[in-house]
Amino acid sequence: MPATALALVLFAAVIHATWNLILKKAQADPVCFSWLAASGGALMIGPVALALHWEQLTGLGTAEWVAVLASGVLHVAYFIVLQIGYKAGDLSVVYPVARGVGPLLSAMAAIVLLGEQATMGSVAGLALIVGGTFTIAGGVAIVRGNWSPRARASLIWGALTGVLIAGYTVNDGRAVRLLGVAPLLFYWLSDASRSLLLVPAVLRRRALLRATLAASWRPALAVALLSPIGYILVLQAMTIAPISHVAPAREVSMLIAAFLGARMLSEGELARRLAGAALIAAGVVSLALAG
């Protein structure tokens, strides 16, 4: 992986773990919060995206618009499932499970469906990241079945989130890498489509929307700002490095999330989760060297 792409991914990882902590602490209605974040993000980045990429926007074809719609649908499902997972479980379990399942499926799909080359280094890196995820999520306790209902719910919702991550990663990576849509333009279109898709549900929740806005406008604004920045950096990295390398390398964010969950949210088991994070870090190095 080129050094520039790795730098973009690592910076994005810090941003991603940060806004997930904010999302976890907000504990707001998933639909209303998702709409506020999507709408806020679209409003903030829209003028810049239009100013820089208006000519490309007017020339988008059917394939590009299908990718935009697919991204909107997948991101709607992702944000809602993720928030439900955070209500049912711990950040330090839901987050790593989601981020572990996602790259596994993303890398496999990129290699099988998009024809990207699998190398020994990339395979070893992916194996280390998945192994680290397993350790953070519970390790041997998962195999023995010796874990709480909360941990089980965390794993289930985390895995569902990971499937959605894999879906939007491959779809969005294809849009910017193979179809050539500018990352900033694509994210803005995806954010705008997510906002529009949620309008019918929000209109049925007017009272809840007002309550969510009053109680959670600050975290919604923070997510609206940080989420686009982090993901646009990842999309930019996908234009210069294979998706099968970028997707797993993003999971260094689990180093940060494991620490934040254990320390700031008092979720405990810091030693085991940091051990898993060390495996993930080794996997990131392997992926970087594989490129």
PDB file of all heavy atoms in Angstrom, residues 123-160:
ATOM      1  N   VAL A 123      -3.123 -11.532   2.658  1.00  0.00           N
ATOM      2  CA  VAL A 123      -3.851 -12.618   3.317  1.00  0.00           C
ATOM      3  C   VAL A 123      -3.420 -12.731   4.781  1.00  0.00           C
ATOM      4  O   VAL A 123      -4.249 -12.884   5.689  1.00  0.00           O
ATOM      5  CB  VAL A 123      -3.634 -13.951   2.578  1.00  0.00           C
ATOM      6  CG1 VAL A 123      -4.217 -15.114   3.385  1.00  0.00           C
ATOM      7  CG2 VAL A 123      -4.272 -13.904   1.202  1.00  0.00           C
ATOM      8  N   ALA A 124      -2.097 -12.636   5.026  1.00  0.00           N
ATOM      9  CA  ALA A 124      -1.598 -12.700   6.402  1.00  0.00           C
ATOM     10  C   ALA A 124      -2.108 -11.518   7.214  1.00  0.00           C
ATOM     11  O   ALA A 124      -2.511 -11.672   8.376  1.00  0.00           O
ATOM     12  CB  ALA A 124      -0.073 -12.724   6.396  1.00  0.00           C
ATOM     13  N   GLY A 125      -2.101 -10.329   6.610  1.00  0.00           N
ATOM     14  CA  GLY A 125      -2.601  -9.151   7.307  1.00  0.00           C
ATOM     15  C   GLY A 125      -4.057  -9.282   7.663  1.00  0.00           C
ATOM     16  O   GLY A 125      -4.479  -8.931   8.775  1.00  0.00           O
ATOM     17  N   LEU A 126      -4.852  -9.786   6.731  1.00  0.00           N
ATOM     18  CA  LEU A 126      -6.279  -9.970   6.989  1.00  0.00           C
ATOM     19  C   LEU A 126      -6.500 -10.979   8.103  1.00  0.00           C
ATOM     20  O   LEU A 126      -7.345 -10.781   8.983  1.00  0.00           O
ATOM     21  CB  LEU A 126      -6.972 -10.430   5.701  1.00  0.00           C
ATOM     22  CG  LEU A 126      -8.491 -10.566   5.758  1.00  0.00           C
ATOM     23  CD1 LEU A 126      -9.121  -9.253   6.180  1.00  0.00           C
ATOM     24  CD2 LEU A 126      -9.021 -11.002   4.401  1.00  0.00           C
ATOM     25  N   ALA A 127      -5.692 -12.068   8.107  1.00  0.00           N
ATOM     26  CA  ALA A 127      -5.830 -13.089   9.141  1.00  0.00           C
ATOM     27  C   ALA A 127      -5.494 -12.519  10.522  1.00  0.00           C
ATOM     28  O   ALA A 127      -6.171 -12.806  11.515  1.00  0.00           O
ATOM     29  CB  ALA A 127      -4.920 -14.272   8.821  1.00  0.00           C
ATOM     30  N   LEU A 128      -4.469 -11.681  10.584  1.00  0.00           N
ATOM     31  CA  LEU A 128      -4.090 -11.069  11.854  1.00  0.00           C
ATOM     32  C   LEU A 128      -5.178 -10.124  12.360  1.00  0.00           C
ATOM     33  O   LEU A 128      -5.487 -10.087  13.556  1.00  0.00           O
ATOM     34  CB  LEU A 128      -2.776 -10.307  11.699  1.00  0.00           C
ATOM     35  CG  LEU A 128      -1.511 -11.169  11.607  1.00  0.00           C
ATOM     36  CD1 LEU A 128      -0.330 -10.321  11.140  1.00  0.00           C
ATOM     37  CD2 LEU A 128      -1.202 -11.821  12.948  1.00  0.00           C
ATOM     38  N   ILE A 129      -5.774  -9.370  11.451  1.00  0.00           N
ATOM     39  CA  ILE A 129      -6.835  -8.437  11.848  1.00  0.00           C
ATOM     40  C   ILE A 129      -8.059  -9.186  12.349  1.00  0.00           C
ATOM     41  O   ILE A 129      -8.654  -8.834  13.370  1.00  0.00           O
ATOM     42  CB  ILE A 129      -7.191  -7.514  10.669  1.00  0.00           C
ATOM     43  CG1 ILE A 129      -6.043  -6.532  10.422  1.00  0.00           C
ATOM     44  CG2 ILE A 129      -8.483  -6.737  10.945  1.00  0.00           C
ATOM     45  CD1 ILE A 129      -6.213  -5.688   9.188  1.00  0.00           C
ATOM     46  N   VAL A 130      -8.437 -10.239  11.655  1.00  0.00           N
ATOM     47  CA  VAL A 130      -9.588 -11.033  12.089  1.00  0.00           C
ATOM     48  C   VAL A 130      -9.288 -11.708  13.431  1.00  0.00           C
ATOM     49  O   VAL A 130     -10.146 -11.762  14.322  1.00  0.00           O
ATOM     50  CB  VAL A 130      -9.961 -12.074  11.017  1.00  0.00           C
ATOM     51  CG1 VAL A 130     -11.019 -13.035  11.541  1.00  0.00           C
ATOM     52  CG2 VAL A 130     -10.467 -11.379   9.759  1.00  0.00           C
ATOM     53  N   GLY A 131      -8.055 -12.215  13.596  1.00  0.00           N
ATOM     54  CA  GLY A 131      -7.680 -12.824  14.866  1.00  0.00           C
ATOM     55  C   GLY A 131      -7.708 -11.825  16.006  1.00  0.00           C
ATOM     56  O   GLY A 131      -8.161 -12.143  17.117  1.00  0.00           O
ATOM     57  N   GLY A 132      -7.263 -10.606  15.733  1.00  0.00           N
ATOM     58  CA  GLY A 132      -7.318  -9.563  16.750  1.00  0.00           C
ATOM     59  C   GLY A 132      -8.739  -9.201  17.110  1.00  0.00           C
ATOM     60  O   GLY A 132      -9.059  -8.959  18.288  1.00  0.00           O
ATOM     61  N   THR A 133      -9.597  -9.175  16.108  1.00  0.00           N
ATOM     62  CA  THR A 133     -11.012  -8.891  16.350  1.00  0.00           C
ATOM     63  C   THR A 133     -11.640  -9.953  17.243  1.00  0.00           C
ATOM     64  O   THR A 133     -12.393  -9.649  18.179  1.00  0.00           O
ATOM     65  CB  THR A 133     -11.769  -8.830  15.016  1.00  0.00           C
ATOM     66  OG1 THR A 133     -11.191  -7.820  14.208  1.00  0.00           O
ATOM     67  CG2 THR A 133     -13.248  -8.527  15.237  1.00  0.00           C
ATOM     68  N   PHE A 134     -11.320 -11.204  16.971  1.00  0.00           N
ATOM     69  CA  PHE A 134     -11.827 -12.316  17.773  1.00  0.00           C
ATOM     70  C   PHE A 134     -11.389 -12.165  19.227  1.00  0.00           C
ATOM     71  O   PHE A 134     -12.177 -12.357  20.162  1.00  0.00           O
ATOM     72  CB  PHE A 134     -11.310 -13.631  17.196  1.00  0.00           C
ATOM     73  CG  PHE A 134     -11.615 -14.846  18.031  1.00  0.00           C
ATOM     74  CD1 PHE A 134     -12.884 -15.405  18.038  1.00  0.00           C
ATOM     75  CD2 PHE A 134     -10.633 -15.422  18.816  1.00  0.00           C
ATOM     76  CE1 PHE A 134     -13.170 -16.525  18.816  1.00  0.00           C
ATOM     77  CE2 PHE A 134     -10.902 -16.536  19.593  1.00  0.00           C
ATOM     78  CZ  PHE A 134     -12.167 -17.090  19.588  1.00  0.00           C
ATOM     79  N   THR A 135     -10.140 -11.772  19.418  1.00  0.00           N
ATOM     80  CA  THR A 135      -9.607 -11.604  20.777  1.00  0.00           C
ATOM     81  C   THR A 135     -10.318 -10.474  21.512  1.00  0.00           C
ATOM     82  O   THR A 135     -10.722 -10.613  22.675  1.00  0.00           O
ATOM     83  CB  THR A 135      -8.097 -11.324  20.722  1.00  0.00           C
ATOM     84  OG1 THR A 135      -7.442 -12.410  20.052  1.00  0.00           O
ATOM     85  CG2 THR A 135      -7.520 -11.173  22.122  1.00  0.00           C
ATOM     86  N   ILE A 136     -10.494  -9.340  20.837  1.00  0.00           N
ATOM     87  CA  ILE A 136     -11.156  -8.198  21.470  1.00  0.00           C
ATOM     88  C   ILE A 136     -12.600  -8.511  21.811  1.00  0.00           C
ATOM     89  O   ILE A 136     -13.122  -8.123  22.860  1.00  0.00           O
ATOM     90  CB  ILE A 136     -11.086  -6.966  20.543  1.00  0.00           C
ATOM     91  CG1 ILE A 136      -9.643  -6.460  20.453  1.00  0.00           C
ATOM     92  CG2 ILE A 136     -11.995  -5.848  21.025  1.00  0.00           C
ATOM     93  CD1 ILE A 136      -9.449  -5.345  19.458  1.00  0.00           C
ATOM     94  N   ALA A 137     -13.257  -9.256  20.925  1.00  0.00           N
ATOM     95  CA  ALA A 137     -14.685  -9.530  21.110  1.00  0.00           C
ATOM     96  C   ALA A 137     -14.970 -10.499  22.249  1.00  0.00           C
ATOM     97  O   ALA A 137     -16.092 -10.554  22.750  1.00  0.00           O
ATOM     98  CB  ALA A 137     -15.279 -10.063  19.813  1.00  0.00           C
ATOM     99  N   GLY A 138     -13.971 -11.284  22.674  1.00  0.00           N
ATOM    100  CA  GLY A 138     -14.224 -12.207  23.775  1.00  0.00           C
ATOM    101  C   GLY A 138     -13.282 -13.375  23.843  1.00  0.00           C
ATOM    102  O   GLY A 138     -13.205 -14.071  24.845  1.00  0.00           O
ATOM    103  N   GLY A 139     -12.584 -13.643  22.746  1.00  0.00           N
ATOM    104  CA  GLY A 139     -11.597 -14.710  22.742  1.00  0.00           C
ATOM    105  C   GLY A 139     -12.187 -16.083  22.993  1.00  0.00           C
ATOM    106  O   GLY A 139     -13.242 -16.452  22.450  1.00  0.00           O
ATOM    107  N   VAL A 140     -11.537 -16.851  23.867  1.00  0.00           N
ATOM    108  CA  VAL A 140     -11.937 -18.235  24.139  1.00  0.00           C
ATOM    109  C   VAL A 140     -13.342 -18.312  24.729  1.00  0.00           C
ATOM    110  O   VAL A 140     -14.059 -19.291  24.532  1.00  0.00           O
ATOM    111  CB  VAL A 140     -10.921 -18.900  25.098  1.00  0.00           C
ATOM    112  CG1 VAL A 140     -11.344 -20.332  25.427  1.00  0.00           C
ATOM    113  CG2 VAL A 140      -9.530 -18.906  24.471  1.00  0.00           C
ATOM    114  N   ALA A 141     -13.770 -17.275  25.429  1.00  0.00           N
ATOM    115  CA  ALA A 141     -15.105 -17.288  26.041  1.00  0.00           C
ATOM    116  C   ALA A 141     -16.197 -17.452  24.988  1.00  0.00           C
ATOM    117  O   ALA A 141     -17.244 -18.061  25.261  1.00  0.00           O
ATOM    118  CB  ALA A 141     -15.325 -15.998  26.830  1.00  0.00           C
ATOM    119  N   ILE A 142     -15.965 -16.935  23.799  1.00  0.00           N
ATOM    120  CA  ILE A 142     -16.956 -17.080  22.728  1.00  0.00           C
ATOM    121  C   ILE A 142     -17.097 -18.541  22.337  1.00  0.00           C
ATOM    122  O   ILE A 142     -18.200 -19.062  22.167  1.00  0.00           O
ATOM    123  CB  ILE A 142     -16.549 -16.231  21.507  1.00  0.00           C
ATOM    124  CG1 ILE A 142     -16.623 -14.747  21.864  1.00  0.00           C
ATOM    125  CG2 ILE A 142     -17.440 -16.526  20.308  1.00  0.00           C
ATOM    126  CD1 ILE A 142     -16.186 -13.827  20.744  1.00  0.00           C
ATOM    127  N   VAL A 143     -15.952 -19.218  22.182  1.00  0.00           N
ATOM    128  CA  VAL A 143     -15.967 -20.631  21.785  1.00  0.00           C
ATOM    129  C   VAL A 143     -16.626 -21.488  22.855  1.00  0.00           C
ATOM    130  O   VAL A 143     -17.401 -22.409  22.567  1.00  0.00           O
ATOM    131  CB  VAL A 143     -14.533 -21.123  21.511  1.00  0.00           C
ATOM    132  CG1 VAL A 143     -14.533 -22.604  21.151  1.00  0.00           C
ATOM    133  CG2 VAL A 143     -13.894 -20.298  20.394  1.00  0.00           C
ATOM    134  N   ARG A 144     -16.340 -21.194  24.114  1.00  0.00           N
ATOM    135  CA  ARG A 144     -16.891 -21.983  25.221  1.00  0.00           C
ATOM    136  C   ARG A 144     -18.344 -21.648  25.528  1.00  0.00           C
ATOM    137  O   ARG A 144     -19.001 -22.348  26.283  1.00  0.00           O
ATOM    138  CB  ARG A 144     -16.053 -21.740  26.480  1.00  0.00           C
ATOM    139  CG  ARG A 144     -14.628 -22.284  26.379  1.00  0.00           C
ATOM    140  CD  ARG A 144     -13.828 -21.929  27.616  1.00  0.00           C
ATOM    141  NE  ARG A 144     -12.489 -22.500  27.581  1.00  0.00           N
ATOM    142  CZ  ARG A 144     -11.549 -22.240  28.473  1.00  0.00           C
ATOM    143  NH1 ARG A 144     -11.798 -21.399  29.483  1.00  0.00           N
ATOM    144  NH2 ARG A 144     -10.356 -22.790  28.374  1.00  0.00           N
ATOM    145  N   GLY A 145     -18.849 -20.580  24.960  1.00  0.00           N
ATOM    146  CA  GLY A 145     -20.219 -20.167  25.229  1.00  0.00           C
ATOM    147  C   GLY A 145     -20.390 -19.514  26.577  1.00  0.00           C
ATOM    148  O   GLY A 145     -21.509 -19.352  27.063  1.00  0.00           O
ATOM    149  N   ASN A 146     -19.266 -19.132  27.204  1.00  0.00           N
ATOM    150  CA  ASN A 146     -19.297 -18.548  28.546  1.00  0.00           C
ATOM    151  C   ASN A 146     -19.298 -17.027  28.443  1.00  0.00           C
ATOM    152  O   ASN A 146     -18.324 -16.344  28.764  1.00  0.00           O
ATOM    153  CB  ASN A 146     -18.076 -19.027  29.339  1.00  0.00           C
ATOM    154  CG  ASN A 146     -18.099 -18.525  30.771  1.00  0.00           C
ATOM    155  OD1 ASN A 146     -19.160 -18.243  31.320  1.00  0.00           O
ATOM    156  ND2 ASN A 146     -16.925 -18.404  31.370  1.00  0.00           N
ATOM    157  N   TRP A 147     -20.429 -16.492  28.017  1.00  0.00           N
ATOM    158  CA  TRP A 147     -20.503 -15.040  27.860  1.00  0.00           C
ATOM    159  C   TRP A 147     -21.931 -14.582  28.083  1.00  0.00           C
ATOM    160  O   TRP A 147     -22.873 -15.339  27.951  1.00  0.00           O
ATOM    161  CB  TRP A 147     -19.968 -14.608  26.496  1.00  0.00           C
ATOM    162  CG  TRP A 147     -20.446 -15.418  25.315  1.00  0.00           C
ATOM    163  CD1 TRP A 147     -20.668 -16.754  25.264  1.00  0.00           C
ATOM    164  CD2 TRP A 147     -20.761 -14.927  24.018  1.00  0.00           C
ATOM    165  NE1 TRP A 147     -21.102 -17.134  24.018  1.00  0.00           N
ATOM    166  CE2 TRP A 147     -21.156 -16.034  23.239  1.00  0.00           C
ATOM    167  CE3 TRP A 147     -20.733 -13.656  23.440  1.00  0.00           C
ATOM    168  CZ2 TRP A 147     -21.539 -15.905  21.905  1.00  0.00           C
ATOM    169  CZ3 TRP A 147     -21.101 -13.546  22.109  1.00  0.00           C
ATOM    170  CH2 TRP A 147     -21.499 -14.670  21.355  1.00  0.00           C
ATOM    171  N   SER A 148     -22.085 -13.324  28.440  1.00  0.00           N
ATOM    172  CA  SER A 148     -23.368 -12.784  28.892  1.00  0.00           C
ATOM    173  C   SER A 148     -24.302 -12.496  27.722  1.00  0.00           C
ATOM    174  O   SER A 148     -23.860 -12.391  26.573  1.00  0.00           O
ATOM    175  CB  SER A 148     -23.136 -11.486  29.659  1.00  0.00           C
ATOM    176  OG  SER A 148     -22.656 -10.481  28.769  1.00  0.00           O
ATOM    177  N   PRO A 149     -25.618 -12.366  28.016  1.00  0.00           N
ATOM    178  CA  PRO A 149     -26.565 -11.968  26.963  1.00  0.00           C
ATOM    179  C   PRO A 149     -26.182 -10.643  26.310  1.00  0.00           C
ATOM    180  O   PRO A 149     -26.386 -10.463  25.105  1.00  0.00           O
ATOM    181  CB  PRO A 149     -27.892 -11.863  27.713  1.00  0.00           C
ATOM    182  CG  PRO A 149     -27.746 -12.801  28.862  1.00  0.00           C
ATOM    183  CD  PRO A 149     -26.306 -12.700  29.270  1.00  0.00           C
ATOM    184  N   ARG A 150     -25.612  -9.718  27.083  1.00  0.00           N
ATOM    185  CA  ARG A 150     -25.195  -8.436  26.522  1.00  0.00           C
ATOM    186  C   ARG A 150     -24.049  -8.631  25.531  1.00  0.00           C
ATOM    187  O   ARG A 150     -24.024  -8.011  24.467  1.00  0.00           O
ATOM    188  CB  ARG A 150     -24.782  -7.475  27.635  1.00  0.00           C
ATOM    189  CG  ARG A 150     -24.417  -6.077  27.135  1.00  0.00           C
ATOM    190  CD  ARG A 150     -24.150  -5.122  28.295  1.00  0.00           C
ATOM    191  NE  ARG A 150     -23.792  -3.789  27.838  1.00  0.00           N
ATOM    192  CZ  ARG A 150     -24.665  -2.858  27.475  1.00  0.00           C
ATOM    193  NH1 ARG A 150     -25.954  -3.122  27.515  1.00  0.00           N
ATOM    194  NH2 ARG A 150     -24.255  -1.663  27.070  1.00  0.00           N
ATOM    195  N   ALA A 151     -23.107  -9.492  25.879  1.00  0.00           N
ATOM    196  CA  ALA A 151     -21.993  -9.774  24.968  1.00  0.00           C
ATOM    197  C   ALA A 151     -22.497 -10.470  23.707  1.00  0.00           C
ATOM    198  O   ALA A 151     -22.027 -10.193  22.597  1.00  0.00           O
ATOM    199  CB  ALA A 151     -20.948 -10.638  25.676  1.00  0.00           C
ATOM    200  N   ARG A 152     -23.474 -11.377  23.877  1.00  0.00           N
ATOM    201  CA  ARG A 152     -24.034 -12.088  22.713  1.00  0.00           C
ATOM    202  C   ARG A 152     -24.756 -11.113  21.789  1.00  0.00           C
ATOM    203  O   ARG A 152     -24.597 -11.162  20.560  1.00  0.00           O
ATOM    204  CB  ARG A 152     -24.988 -13.182  23.197  1.00  0.00           C
ATOM    205  CG  ARG A 152     -25.462 -14.114  22.080  1.00  0.00           C
ATOM    206  CD  ARG A 152     -26.325 -15.243  22.633  1.00  0.00           C
ATOM    207  NE  ARG A 152     -25.552 -16.099  23.531  1.00  0.00           N
ATOM    208  CZ  ARG A 152     -25.717 -16.162  24.831  1.00  0.00           C
ATOM    209  NH1 ARG A 152     -26.626 -15.400  25.437  1.00  0.00           N
ATOM    210  NH2 ARG A 152     -24.977 -16.967  25.572  1.00  0.00           N
ATOM    211  N   ALA A 153     -25.531 -10.193  22.390  1.00  0.00           N
ATOM    212  CA  ALA A 153     -26.215  -9.182  21.578  1.00  0.00           C
ATOM    213  C   ALA A 153     -25.206  -8.284  20.870  1.00  0.00           C
ATOM    214  O   ALA A 153     -25.390  -7.911  19.701  1.00  0.00           O
ATOM    215  CB  ALA A 153     -27.138  -8.343  22.459  1.00  0.00           C
ATOM    216  N   SER A 154     -24.122  -7.949  21.564  1.00  0.00           N
ATOM    217  CA  SER A 154     -23.080  -7.123  20.962  1.00  0.00           C
ATOM    218  C   SER A 154     -22.485  -7.802  19.739  1.00  0.00           C
ATOM    219  O   SER A 154     -22.236  -7.169  18.706  1.00  0.00           O
ATOM    220  CB  SER A 154     -21.968  -6.847  21.988  1.00  0.00           C
ATOM    221  OG  SER A 154     -22.456  -6.150  23.105  1.00  0.00           O
ATOM    222  N   LEU A 155     -22.241  -9.109  19.852  1.00  0.00           N
ATOM    223  CA  LEU A 155     -21.664  -9.855  18.739  1.00  0.00           C
ATOM    224  C   LEU A 155     -22.612  -9.912  17.553  1.00  0.00           C
ATOM    225  O   LEU A 155     -22.201  -9.706  16.398  1.00  0.00           O
ATOM    226  CB  LEU A 155     -21.304 -11.269  19.197  1.00  0.00           C
ATOM    227  CG  LEU A 155     -20.647 -12.164  18.135  1.00  0.00           C
ATOM    228  CD1 LEU A 155     -19.310 -11.587  17.693  1.00  0.00           C
ATOM    229  CD2 LEU A 155     -20.461 -13.584  18.657  1.00  0.00           C
ATOM    230  N   ILE A 156     -23.888 -10.170  17.816  1.00  0.00           N
ATOM    231  CA  ILE A 156     -24.869 -10.289  16.733  1.00  0.00           C
ATOM    232  C   ILE A 156     -25.023  -8.973  15.991  1.00  0.00           C
ATOM    233  O   ILE A 156     -24.943  -8.910  14.760  1.00  0.00           O
ATOM    234  CB  ILE A 156     -26.229 -10.765  17.287  1.00  0.00           C
ATOM    235  CG1 ILE A 156     -26.110 -12.213  17.793  1.00  0.00           C
ATOM    236  CG2 ILE A 156     -27.312 -10.658  16.212  1.00  0.00           C
ATOM    237  CD1 ILE A 156     -27.333 -12.697  18.545  1.00  0.00           C
ATOM    238  N   TRP A 157     -25.239  -7.886  16.745  1.00  0.00           N
ATOM    239  CA  TRP A 157     -25.418  -6.586  16.098  1.00  0.00           C
ATOM    240  C   TRP A 157     -24.123  -6.113  15.444  1.00  0.00           C
ATOM    241  O   TRP A 157     -24.156  -5.470  14.383  1.00  0.00           O
ATOM    242  CB  TRP A 157     -25.925  -5.559  17.110  1.00  0.00           C
ATOM    243  CG  TRP A 157     -27.374  -5.759  17.462  1.00  0.00           C
ATOM    244  CD1 TRP A 157     -27.871  -6.221  18.644  1.00  0.00           C
ATOM    245  CD2 TRP A 157     -28.495  -5.541  16.613  1.00  0.00           C
ATOM    246  NE1 TRP A 157     -29.243  -6.299  18.592  1.00  0.00           N
ATOM    247  CE2 TRP A 157     -29.660  -5.881  17.357  1.00  0.00           C
ATOM    248  CE3 TRP A 157     -28.648  -5.082  15.304  1.00  0.00           C
ATOM    249  CZ2 TRP A 157     -30.943  -5.780  16.827  1.00  0.00           C
ATOM    250  CZ3 TRP A 157     -29.930  -4.983  14.779  1.00  0.00           C
ATOM    251  CH2 TRP A 157     -31.053  -5.325  15.530  1.00  0.00           C
ATOM    252  N   GLY A 158     -23.001  -6.442  16.070  1.00  0.00           N
ATOM    253  CA  GLY A 158     -21.726  -6.092  15.453  1.00  0.00           C
ATOM    254  C   GLY A 158     -21.514  -6.810  14.142  1.00  0.00           C
ATOM    255  O   GLY A 158     -21.037  -6.225  13.157  1.00  0.00           O
ATOM    256  N   ALA A 159     -21.875  -8.107  14.091  1.00  0.00           N
ATOM    257  CA  ALA A 159     -21.722  -8.882  12.863  1.00  0.00           C
ATOM    258  C   ALA A 159     -22.649  -8.356  11.761  1.00  0.00           C
ATOM    259  O   ALA A 159     -22.236  -8.259  10.585  1.00  0.00           O
ATOM    260  CB  ALA A 159     -22.013 -10.354  13.133  1.00  0.00           C
ATOM    261  N   LEU A 160     -23.887  -8.013  12.119  1.00  0.00           N
ATOM    262  CA  LEU A 160     -24.811  -7.445  11.131  1.00  0.00           C
ATOM    263  C   LEU A 160     -24.276  -6.118  10.585  1.00  0.00           C
ATOM    264  O   LEU A 160     -24.347  -5.847   9.379  1.00  0.00           O
ATOM    265  CB  LEU A 160     -26.192  -7.237  11.763  1.00  0.00           C
ATOM    266  CG  LEU A 160     -27.011  -8.494  12.061  1.00  0.00           C
ATOM    267  CD1 LEU A 160     -28.283  -8.126  12.815  1.00  0.00           C
ATOM    268  CD2 LEU A 160     -27.357  -9.227  10.767  1.00  0.00           C
TER     269      LEU A 160
END
